[in-house]
Amino acid sequence: MKATILHGTRDVRVEEVDDPTIQRPTDALVRVTAACVCGSDLWPYRGINEVKEPRRIGHEFVGIVEEVGSGVRSLRPGDFVIAPFLFSDNTCPHCQVGMQSACQHGGGYGGPDTEGIMVDGGQGEYVRVPLADGTLVATREVPDDSLVPSLLTLSDVMGTGWHAAVAAGVRKGDTVVVVGDGAVGLCGVIAAARMGAERVVAMSRHESRQKLATHFGATDIVAARGEEGEAAVMDLTDGVGADAVLECVGTGEAMTTAIAVARPGATVGYVGVPHGVELPIGTMFRRNIGVGGGVAPVRQYLPQLRDDVLSGAIDPGAVFDLELPLSEVAEAYAAMDERRAIKSLVRP
Amino acid sequence: MKATILHGTRDVRVEEVDDPTIQRPTDALVRVTAACVCGSDLWPYRGINEVKEPRRIGHEFVGIVEEVGSGVRSLRPGDFVIAPFLFSDNTCPHCQVGMQSACQHGGGYGGPDTEGIMVDGGQGEYVRVPLADGTLVATREVPDDSLVPSLLTLSDVMGTGWHAAVAAGVRKGDTVVVVGDGAVGLCGVIAAARMGAERVVAMSRHESRQKLATHFGATDIVAARGEEGEAAVMDLTDGVGADAVLECVGTGEAMTTAIAVARPGATVGYVGVPHGVELPIGTMFRRNIGVGGGVAPVRQYLPQLRDDVLSGAIDPGAVFDLELPLSEVAEAYAAMDERRAIKSLVRP
């Protein structure tokens, strides 16, 4: 089959690899019908995370079940499934409280598992999915193709934006600030609006993203950054600050802004992989600003968000502004790297 | 009147100072009947926070209202009142959401207010309390003297321990770990038990404090510290970790332990003034550990905790193991400094 291999900085290629096969009774083989490039894929692509040898990449995909192991109970060939960006058994103590991203037996795509068996990356024609019953979420019928982009976002960005809002404790009537206008930040806007926030302030300086944020439910846009941006938010809130803040970038600057615009007692929900973030505990203590979040347990939110997509309540698929065949995955990466695209979808 | 003055490192004296008088219509004069020494008073006492010139000290007290300003509506002379360790108007946007410790017009005891008018320290015979309506919480009748120690803890340590439990999100049935066996940590044990925690693990290596923790509702005691202590908690929780953790010390070691024993998705509620704490954001992100807390808005919790004391549901006054006349305040400090006493009460 064909799969995406990251060879080094800005060198990503589609190559022929071995077809996966069922390795354990709990496995499923999924034929990928749509996959996408994640902001976190850009860290190794850009060389910020070192790439020592060529490796499979991709962890966001949907597809059709081709084959299941003898121990799989909830899925059958032909099912349309959404794969969370991590696999999990959904039965361990962490999964039971909704923290599937900390599953005691879980793991990620694109490398060998704990027993050395390859787990395929998501940007390829097929993926062997371990712990299929605990991991994959099916739809009752194969959905209309127009819904596939939105369902694909539930693999990661929509569930991650939702996690930021959950971690920030967004409540009905709140004023919520979203720092970051990437796909996760835009999904954070959807989440805050869906949770009943009265006011959703999107911090974005790109016109196309501002428009999308507004489409998703943002009531206010702040284009300024840094201290000027913070002052603008404080003005919007009569000097009080936001009831909840979503930090969807992962940089020190974004976290500084997020903490600065949070009102005393508020929590910053953060989901961007931290790079160079130092938490100012003195300020946090003095102002009672909490921080919560981390690697999103998107599996927890998937059934609910699937139903919200199928009912048309949310349409996060609008974050995709580039769609290409798998063979052009290099361009899918380059467009996101150069910020020509918010998020790229590839079709094997 | 007599009041406590901190002159320098380990040099605290009772001296004659001017009697306070009503300065603003919203003031009340309180005759202090009991006050106490706070763990945070020990920072300047020990010279860790520099003392540049002699200053009034103390911020935890109860007493009888002697006189009120013309604008005070809810109090009258003769009322028994509990003073939170900060004064607040209880009407600003921060107070309205229960964050009185961030009151837009509030402040602390023992120094000049924003207009340069002296606000007395709590360890003296009288205190002029600004914003009396918003600050002081009265009892319907003057309580029996046996209840005074418990009511006095509501000034700070009991409300602060409660805040740690609120910030940690303690829920009925939880397993809660309390790091720190000072008065605040012990009050955190009370709070966790009162909120319905099924299991409360107190980390304490002092026998008298272990006993008190057990009296307050701790179900398990871990005497070990550092990695050994963390391993002991993980053993107690079958390797899962705690549902909620209260960090009631403020040192880097305590925070490290608190984060290490939190299960994925849990929050560390912290209330110890941070000294040398660096938050490990990489670990927090990977394991979804939140941190929340800060300067406790004890005013928010005071009415409820007052009623819990008066009904006998809680008896936090047991944290006082030394009672002295105000004239011996130096010994009250020394005993806490040398850890001969958990907490010292002084009677003017």
Side-chain angles (χ1 to χ4, degrees):
Chain A
M1 70 158 180
K2 294 193 189 317
T4 302
I5 315 273
L6 179 66
H7 282 263
T9 303
R10 293 190 170 77
D11 180 6
V12 70
R13 310 176 201 165
V14 174
E15 296 180 353
E16 198 65 32
V17 300
D18 289 343
D19 284 346
T21 55
I22 297 287
Q23 300 284 322
R24 293 198 187 86
T26 48
D27 286 348
L29 280 189
V30 174
R31 176 168 56 83
V32 177
T33 56
C36 49
V37 181
C38 181
S40 71
D41 291 333
L42 296 182
W43 293 105
Y45 176 81
R46 288 170 170 161
I48 295 168
N49 297 355
E50 197 186 359
V51 180
K52 289 181 186 160
E53 52 187 31
R55 69 173 183 83
R56 303 274 196 97
I57 192 163
H59 53 260
E60 304 177 8
F61 60 99
V62 298
I64 302 290
V65 174
E66 284 278 307
E67 190 185 342
V68 295
S70 59
V72 174
R73 295 280 168 268
S74 64
L75 300 164
R76 59 185 128 194
D79 281 349
F80 179 91
V81 288
I82 305 155
F85 69 85
L86 293 171
F87 53 87
S88 54
D89 63 17
N90 219 22
T91 56
C92 83
H94 300 321
C95 286
Q96 281 178 343
V97 298
M99 275 293 138
Q100 288 90 344
S101 48
C103 175
Q104 291 176 340
H105 307 105
Y109 300 97
D113 64 17
T114 50
E115 293 175 41
I117 305 174
M118 183 67 187
V119 181
D120 307 279
Q123 293 156 5
E125 290 183 304
Y126 292 88
V127 176
R128 178 181 70 87
V129 177
L131 302 170
D133 274 330
T135 302
L136 297 169
V137 175
T139 54
R140 190 149 26 184
E141 295 160 13
V142 175
D144 188 84
D145 200 57
S146 65
L147 291 172
V148 166
S150 284
L151 293 169
L152 176 58
T153 66
L154 309 188
S155 256
D156 189 340
V157 286
M158 184 61 227
T160 295
W162 192 266
H163 186 53
V166 169
V170 172
R171 291 183 303 189
K172 203 167 149 58
D174 274 358
T175 292
V176 178
V177 171
V178 180
V179 181
D181 62 1
V184 172
L186 292 165
C187 288
V189 169
I190 295 175
R194 179 82 180 136
M195 291 177 185
E198 192 173 300
R199 204 164 182 189
V200 181
V201 182
M203 300 192 77
S204 170
R205 55 179 179 178
H206 300 87
E207 202 180 335
S208 62
R209 295 167 189 236
Q210 292 173 353
K211 276 188 187 155
L212 203 46
T214 303
H215 168 71
F216 284 154
T219 55
D220 300 82
I221 302 287
V222 168
R225 289 194 172 193
E227 289 183 11
E228 199 189 333
E230 295 160 18
V233 172
M234 294 310 283
D235 272 356
L236 279 174
T237 58
D238 295 327
V240 171
D243 300 308
V245 183
L246 281 52
E247 193 283 287
C248 303
V249 183
T251 61
E253 186 190 353
M255 184 60 88
T256 299
T257 294
I259 289 173
V261 301
R263 70 182 293 169
T267 300
V268 173
Y270 73 110
V271 288
V273 185
H275 283 77
V277 174
E278 283 176 29
L279 293 171
I281 190 156
T283 301
M284 290 163 58
F285 182 84
R286 192 167 37 79
R287 299 184 50 231
N288 264 280
I289 308 299
V291 299
V295 183
V298 300
R299 177 63 181 78
Q300 179 194 162
Y301 311 125
L302 238 165
Q304 177 189 348
L305 293 175
R306 171 198 60 192
D307 294 346
D308 279 359
V309 166
L310 294 176
S311 74
I314 61 173
D315 66 334
V319 295
F320 292 110
D321 50 358
L322 181 64
E323 184 174 328
L324 294 167
L326 178 63
S327 57
E328 294 176 38
V329 74
E331 168 59 12
Y333 274 78
M336 280 177 64
D337 177 36
E338 295 159 20
R339 289 182 77 89
R340 289 183 278 116
I342 297 174
K343 196 164 175 74
S344 310
L345 185 152
V346 292
R347 300 255 191 184
Chain B
M1 69 159 179
K2 293 195 189 315
T4 302
I5 315 273
L6 179 66
H7 282 263
T9 302
R10 292 190 171 77
D11 180 5
V12 69
R13 311 175 201 166
V14 173
E15 294 179 354
E16 197 66 31
V17 300
D18 288 344
D19 285 345
T21 56
I22 297 287
Q23 299 285 321
R24 293 197 186 86
T26 49
D27 286 348
L29 280 189
V30 174
R31 176 169 56 81
V32 176
T33 56
C36 48
V37 180
C38 181
S40 71
D41 291 334
L42 295 182
W43 293 106
Y45 176 81
R46 288 170 170 161
I48 295 168
N49 296 355
E50 196 186 1
V51 179
K52 289 180 184 159
E53 52 187 28
R55 68 172 183 83
R56 303 276 196 95
I57 192 164
H59 52 260
E60 303 176 9
F61 61 98
V62 298
I64 302 290
V65 174
E66 284 279 307
E67 190 185 342
V68 296
S70 59
V72 174
R73 294 282 168 269
S74 64
L75 301 163
R76 61 186 127 194
D79 282 349
F80 179 91
V81 288
I82 305 155
F85 69 86
L86 293 170
F87 53 87
S88 54
D89 62 17
N90 219 22
T91 57
C92 83
H94 300 322
C95 287
Q96 281 178 343
V97 298
M99 276 293 137
Q100 288 91 345
S101 48
C103 175
Q104 291 176 340
H105 308 105
Y109 299 97
D113 64 17
T114 50
E115 293 175 39
I117 305 174
M118 182 66 188
V119 181
D120 306 278
Q123 294 156 5
E125 290 184 305
Y126 292 89
V127 177
R128 177 182 71 86
V129 177
L131 302 170
D133 275 329
T135 302
L136 297 169
V137 174
T139 54
R140 191 150 26 185
E141 295 161 12
V142 175
D144 187 84
D145 202 56
S146 64
L147 291 171
V148 166
S150 284
L151 293 169
L152 177 57
T153 65
L154 309 188
S155 257
D156 189 340
V157 285
M158 183 62 227
T160 295
W162 191 267
H163 187 53
V166 168
V170 172
R171 290 184 302 187
K172 201 165 151 61
D174 274 357
T175 292
V176 178
V177 170
V178 180
V179 182
D181 63 0
V184 171
L186 292 164
C187 289
V189 170
I190 296 175
R194 179 81 179 136
M195 290 179 186
E198 193 173 300
R199 204 163 181 189
V200 182
V201 182
M203 299 191 77
S204 169
R205 56 178 180 180
H206 299 88
E207 203 180 336
S208 62
R209 294 167 191 236
Q210 293 172 351
K211 275 186 187 157
L212 204 46
T214 303
H215 168 71
F216 285 154
T219 55
D220 300 82
I221 302 286
V222 168
R225 289 196 172 192
E227 289 182 10
E228 199 188 334
E230 293 160 18
V233 173
M234 294 311 283
D235 272 355
L236 280 174
T237 58
D238 295 327
V240 171
D243 300 308
V245 183
L246 281 52
E247 193 285 287
C248 302
V249 183
T251 62
E253 188 191 351
M255 184 59 88
T256 298
T257 293
I259 289 173
V261 301
R263 71 182 292 169
T267 301
V268 173
Y270 72 109
V271 289
V273 184
H275 283 77
V277 174
E278 283 177 28
L279 292 172
I281 190 157
T283 301
M284 291 164 58
F285 182 84
R286 193 167 37 79
R287 299 185 49 232
N288 264 280
I289 308 300
V291 300
V295 184
V298 301
R299 177 64 181 79
Q300 179 194 160
Y301 311 125
L302 238 165
Q304 176 190 349
L305 293 175
R306 170 198 63 193
D307 294 346
D308 279 358
V309 166
L310 294 176
S311 74
I314 61 174
D315 66 334
V319 296
F320 292 109
D321 50 358
L322 181 64
E323 185 173 328
L324 294 167
L326 178 63
S327 58
E328 295 176 38
V329 75
E331 168 58 12
Y333 274 78
M336 280 177 66
D337 177 36
E338 296 158 19
R339 289 183 77 89
R340 288 183 279 115
I342 297 174
K343 195 163 175 75
S344 311
L345 185 152
V346 293
R347 301 257 191 185

